Amino acid sequence: MRRIVGDVALGGSPYPPIAEYAFLSDCETTALVAPTGNVEWLCLPRMDGPSVFGALLDRDAGGFHLGPADQRVPTARRYLPGTNVLETTWGTRTGWLVVRDLLVIGPWHHERERSATHRRSPTDHDADHVLLRTVRCVNGSVELHAECAPVFDYGRARPSWAYTTEGYHRARATCEGHDLALDLTTDLRLGIEGHRALARTTMHDGDTAFLALSWSDDPPPASHDEAEERLRRTADFWQDWLSHGEFPDHPWRAHLQRSALTLKGLVYAPTGALVAAATTSLPEAPGGERNWDYRFSWLRDATFTLWGLYSLGFDWEADDFLAFVAEVAGRENGRLQVLYGIGGERELPESTLDHLDGYDGARPVRIGNAAWDQQQHDVWGAVLDSIYLHAKTRDELDDALWPLVVTQVEAAMANWRDPDRGIWEVRGEPRHFTSSKVMCWVACDRGARLARVRGDGEHAERWQAAADEIQADVLANAVDARGVFCQHYDTHALDASCLLLPLVRFLPPDDDRIVATVEAIAQELTDDGLVRRYRTEESEDGLAGTEATFTICSFWLVSALAEIGEARRARELCEKLLSYASPLLLYAEELDPRSGRHLGNFPQAFTHLALINAVLHVIRADQELAAARPPLDARRPASEERELDA
């Protein structure tokens, strides 16, 4: 297969390690940039659309390279502080070059007509629908090379390029049968060679250039000065947004801030939906078949999303996501599904793209996700816990949410006795999964609490009775002879989802069964301290092969250890997990415990949400220990006091 410009062999593979990608967002679409300077993932017109740059999944599926002509390894990469603007520094034999990449965010565009996509309240900002790349030579001279080679529809349709103005500074890529058009605007001289638009020049000290790829009627920057203004405005947006957050003065502050920026970048602003990840089919095991499309919104993320955002002070984003959840739930009459499209779409049929090689040979490549049609009984608890968290932040319950509370609690009561597919969406036989039962308990428990807030004694009493019945059933059937909660009612196998029991207050954290469960998972379900979801050899999930450790589960263990009073162990594990962060402080779904390699879709929202929860748990536990510790003078022996006095 033809090697596209930007490839670099690492360990015999043309694919960069997953953790080496940088993440860009304009809150409507996302992009991934390889360390080579190649944009290898961009889906249009929104996050879950077909890719136009798909080299992430096949080296012949399109990319957009920019960098020195004779070098593929940069000197340094970073985000401009407090932003999702990527800066890459190149040091060559002859000079130094700085490239900045971003998806542009501008002012609100819909002043004369209403937006066809936005369902949340308008803000001051909107996506410009421009991928902007600026270049500055800061020393010496550098041979610059740019190559834009999109392939529409997941690598199935190669467009044709044509100049759209006099001269060589603007060209358009179109493809018969596709409505999408890409405009490339630059102050470099573009050449067209087949399905590629190319530019090359020698840049000298102080020279600048820009390339802007756009896909809407909103005008792209027409000059470098205008490009710099768009960059500044986008950076201001991210920094201003971050400044509204509440971050502790702590060495781990940078991890919290990067996680917050990543979550904001994974929110589809028109609806408030949070996508689970920016990608599809990045493998959970090298070369394996556990490759899924995560560009959808899972309702089980709701509780953790709201907890994380409210904890950091981002009430607006939390409220928007709850509005999305309420919107899709309100039209389901209690029949919630586990995931939805980011526009609220219900049907997400799964198919495979057999023409793509897959990341580093991992096949199949999937789009869509068949889990939309599964029965997963944790969804009612996720929605109810989200509403409860929302009400707690305001000390009141919005009357408009009460009908939703009623339908979801009643649905949980009607279905909790039935088996389901569980939190991990197994493709084996339905089971009586412990975590599903517990989340049905959450639905009834939170519903009863909300009913008491409203003074509705009838609902409160009936729902509390249901919560008590579910709790008794779980305690009778899910606990083994050791006093440990198991994966489901018919097994003694462990499952990391049981770490959620102390976090959702199913039992007090000092309950012997909670402590035993946390300790059993820490000792028996870990590899080098990192947590697996379950042992695939013990649990039938309908798939072949193995998987790595799930980073979200490892962060859950941090939180659970803090809950049961093991603050030191929680801190040590959290330090270890933070050391596995990518060079840009991002996380995929899984970690190989032997190599530290990131696996699975990237960046993973659920992982960053669990990181926020874990870090705040550890900080809070440390603060409580410090508050409980007697003053220094009170801990000195009397003899030492006399010596100090003397």
Side-chain angles (χ1 to χ4, degrees):
M1 185 167 286
R2 180 179 65 86
R3 180 186 69 83
I4 69 168
V5 171
D7 282 359
V8 59
L10 292 172
S13 169
Y15 292 86
I18 291 171
E20 295 293 328
Y21 284 99
F23 168 69
L24 307 178
S25 173
D26 61 8
C27 301
E28 289 194 21
T29 192
T30 60
L32 296 185
V33 187
T36 59
N38 196 39
V39 180
E40 298 194 352
W41 187 247
L42 175 66
C43 297
L44 298 177
R46 63 185 204 181
M47 301 170 180
D48 59 350
S51 67
V52 295
F53 299 137
L56 179 76
L57 297 176
D58 189 302
R59 305 316 280 172
D60 204 31
F64 183 3
H65 176 259
L66 177 65
D70 56 353
Q71 195 160 322
R72 293 293 177 268
V73 179
T75 302
R77 301 167 86 214
R78 65 162 188 157
Y79 285 112
L80 297 186
T83 77
N84 281 322
V85 177
L86 175 68
E87 180 181 86
T88 305
T89 301
W90 300 86
T92 73
R93 291 183 299 105
T94 58
W96 290 80
L97 199 69
V98 175
V99 176
R100 288 177 172 173
D101 294 322
L102 62 148
L103 285 164
V104 179
I105 297 176
W108 183 255
H109 295 304
H110 308 280
E111 296 296 346
R112 297 184 180 180
E113 80 291 333
R114 286 189 295 274
S115 167
T117 58
H118 282 76
R119 298 206 294 274
R120 303 282 75 83
S121 299
T123 67
D124 298 330
H125 306 282
D126 199 4
D128 266 359
H129 309 115
V130 175
L131 171 64
L132 178 60
R133 317 192 74 178
T134 67
V135 189
R136 181 180 297 273
C137 182
V138 296
N139 179 265
S141 63
V142 179
E143 297 293 324
L144 180 71
H145 179 83
E147 178 180 328
C148 187
V151 187
F152 293 2
D153 193 21
Y154 297 110
R156 286 183 287 210
R158 295 191 180 279
S160 299
W161 287 91
Y163 295 111
T164 56
T165 61
E166 297 295 328
Y168 295 91
H169 300 296
R170 184 161 183 167
R172 171 171 291 182
T174 57
C175 189
E176 186 176 352
H178 294 268
D179 294 333
L180 180 68
L182 297 177
D183 287 304
L184 183 59
T185 305
T186 179
D187 51 5
L188 300 173
R189 291 177 296 276
L190 287 174
I192 296 174
E193 296 184 9
H195 301 291
R196 302 174 295 163
L198 305 170
R200 55 190 178 190
T201 190
T202 302
M203 301 193 70
H204 300 277
D205 190 356
D207 286 350
T208 61
F210 81 98
L211 296 97
L213 188 72
S214 56
W215 51 90
S216 76
D217 294 333
D218 300 324
S223 66
H224 185 268
D225 287 345
E226 189 176 341
E228 284 291 323
E229 172 60 24
R230 301 275 188 107
L231 188 155
R232 183 196 61 77
R233 189 170 60 198
T234 301
D236 285 348
F237 163 81
W238 290 113
Q239 290 170 341
D240 181 67
W241 178 82
L242 195 65
S243 70
H244 287 81
E246 299 169 2
F247 298 95
D249 185 16
H250 190 276
W252 296 343
R253 178 186 178 99
H255 289 274
L256 289 173
Q257 291 183 328
R258 180 50 51 194
S259 290
L261 286 163
T262 302
L263 292 173
K264 174 66 172 175
L266 290 170
V267 170
Y268 181 61
T271 64
L274 175 75
V275 295
T279 58
T280 179
S281 299
L282 291 183
E284 296 178 9
E289 68 169 336
R290 297 170 183 261
N291 317 318
W292 314 107
D293 193 347
Y294 277 9
R295 297 171 299 157
F296 308 111
S297 192
W298 269 255
L299 292 195
R300 74 165 53 94
D301 292 2
T303 295
F304 295 96
T305 301
L306 267 65
W307 194 96
L309 292 173
Y310 282 139
S311 296
L312 296 178
F314 296 112
D315 291 8
W316 195 326
E317 283 68 29
D319 291 348
D320 278 354
F321 185 53
L322 181 62
F324 170 77
V325 171
E327 193 174 83
V328 297
R331 65 172 185 250
E332 298 289 348
N333 195 28
R335 295 172 56 85
L336 280 181
Q337 59 190 54
V338 68
L339 72 154
Y340 293 86
I342 58 176
E345 296 84 3
R346 292 187 72 255
E347 296 187 8
L348 307 169
E350 185 177 301
S351 61
T352 61
L353 302 179
D354 297 330
H355 65 286
L356 296 179
D357 287 346
Y359 175 85
D360 209 13
R363 302 181 71 185
V365 173
R366 293 180 172 95
I367 56 173
N369 196 306
W372 74 271
D373 201 25
Q374 286 187 354
Q375 285 296 313
Q376 297 178 29
H377 294 166
D378 62 335
V379 293
W380 303 296
V383 171
L384 262 295
D385 208 23
S386 301
I387 296 173
Y388 179 69
L389 284 171
H390 175 77
K392 281 184 65 176
T393 64
R394 285 155 176 74
D395 295 322
E396 63 178 3
L397 175 64
D398 187 344
D399 286 342
L401 291 174
W402 181 245
L404 179 60
V405 171
V406 174
T407 58
Q408 301 315 308
V409 178
E410 295 294 334
M413 291 172 61
N415 291 276
W416 74 266
R417 295 178 182 84
D418 299 330
D420 75 330
R421 302 285 181 173
I423 188 174
W424 306 126
E425 302 171 358
V426 299
R427 302 202 174 190
E429 289 299 314
R431 301 282 187 181
H432 292 281
F433 286 101
T434 301
S435 62
S436 297
K437 306 291 187 190
V438 168
M439 290 307 290
C440 288
W441 171 87
V442 168
C444 298
D445 176 79
R446 302 320 190 249
R449 295 181 188 218
L450 291 168
R452 286 192 285 269
V453 169
R454 287 175 57 88
D456 188 336
E458 180 181 349
H459 277 109
E461 182 178 355
R462 191 162 66 87
W463 292 347
Q464 187 61 58
D468 294 343
E469 182 184 2
I470 297 171
Q471 185 178 57
D473 191 79
V474 172
L475 295 177
N477 294 288
V479 182
D480 68 10
R482 299 183 299 167
V484 172
F485 286 95
C486 300
Q487 183 183 59
H488 56 76
Y489 284 7
D490 303 314
T491 186
H492 294 295
L494 296 175
D495 192 298
S497 63
C498 291
L499 292 169
L500 295 175
L501 271 62
L503 305 185
V504 299
R505 301 297 186 258
F506 182 71
L507 289 173
D510 59 355
D511 185 282
D512 290 344
R513 290 159 293 189
I514 292 293
V515 174
T517 301
V518 174
E519 293 291 357
I521 291 173
Q523 295 168 21
E524 301 171 28
L525 202 57
T526 58
D527 287 335
D528 193 25
L530 305 184
V531 183
R532 294 186 179 274
R533 296 190 299 177
Y534 46 78
R535 297 286 181 186
T536 54
E537 63 272 18
E538 296 178 348
S539 303
E540 173 56 45
D541 61 9
L543 296 166
T546 60
E547 60 187 20
T549 63
F550 266 61
T551 314
I552 181 177
C553 300
S554 298
F555 279 120
W556 284 349
L557 180 56
V558 171
S559 298
L561 286 169
E563 287 281 349
I564 67 172
E566 294 289 339
R568 179 187 59 79
R569 290 167 62 193
R571 187 186 319 108
E572 290 173 352
L573 179 56
C574 197
E575 288 174 344
K576 182 173 186 173
L577 290 169
L578 295 180
S579 74
Y580 282 108
S582 82
L584 294 171
L585 301 187
L586 301 174
Y587 286 86
E589 185 175 30
E590 301 182 30
L591 287 168
D592 185 318
R594 291 169 296 279
S595 66
R597 180 180 181 182
H598 287 228
L599 296 165
N601 285 306
F602 181 84
Q604 180 83 5
F606 222 173
T607 304
H608 285 277
L609 288 166
L611 180 154
I612 292 170
N613 194 329
V615 167
L616 293 181
H617 262 92
V618 172
I619 292 174
R620 187 181 302 114
D622 285 346
Q623 291 171 341
E624 291 172 355
L625 282 174
R629 189 179 300 126
L632 182 61
D633 288 350
R635 288 180 283 145
R636 291 180 180 137
S639 59
E640 183 181 339
E641 290 293 333
R642 288 193 294 272
E643 291 173 5
L644 288 171
D645 289 342

